[in-house]
Amino acid sequence: MHADAHKLLWDALDFHVAFCMGRLLEAHRSNGIAARFGVISRDGGFEPLLRHVRSLGYAAKQAGSIREVLDFAPRIARQSASPWNGTFPPCSVAK
């Protein structure tokens, strides 16, 4: 794959993650639910997004592995303002 095409694919993925995180944040905010957001990636480009999410009062962390983000996630249940109903707004790539 050409290097420019490869970069475009990763940039598109970054925007998709940011878009979905925004939808999830709004769903939690409108339902009064406390939340933590974890991004599993070694790409340093997510830090501005996570810094913004933290400035809105949400916990947000970038992790290099699933284990690392799961160590961060268990605290959600203890800090949640209201019970989670188990649903998220749909966020998928159109085919």
Side-chain angles (χ1 to χ4, degrees):
M1 181 181 297
H2 190 270
D4 289 340
H6 190 265
K7 182 178 179 352
L8 285 173
L9 289 174
W10 281 110
D11 287 346
L13 178 62
D14 291 355
F15 283 117
H16 184 73
V17 168
F19 175 79
C20 290
M21 187 179 285
R23 291 194 60 172
L24 291 169
L25 189 145
E26 184 55 35
H28 281 83
R29 178 184 290 179
S30 65
N31 290 312
I33 299 171
R36 291 177 177 263
F37 295 91
V39 174
I40 302 169
S41 175
R42 289 189 175 90
D43 179 350
F46 287 107
E47 188 50 39
L49 171 65
L50 297 174
R51 191 171 30 250
H52 177 66
V53 169
R54 287 190 294 268
S55 77
L56 297 173
Y58 290 88
K61 177 181 179 169
Q62 181 169 339
S65 69
I66 292 172
R67 177 174 293 287
E68 189 179 343
V69 84
L70 290 176
D71 288 343
F72 174 68
R75 293 173 266 183
I76 295 171
R78 293 194 300 266
Q79 295 181 359
S80 208
S82 60
W84 178 50
N85 68 3
T87 62
F88 290 114
C91 188
S92 61
V93 177
K95 294 182 180 182

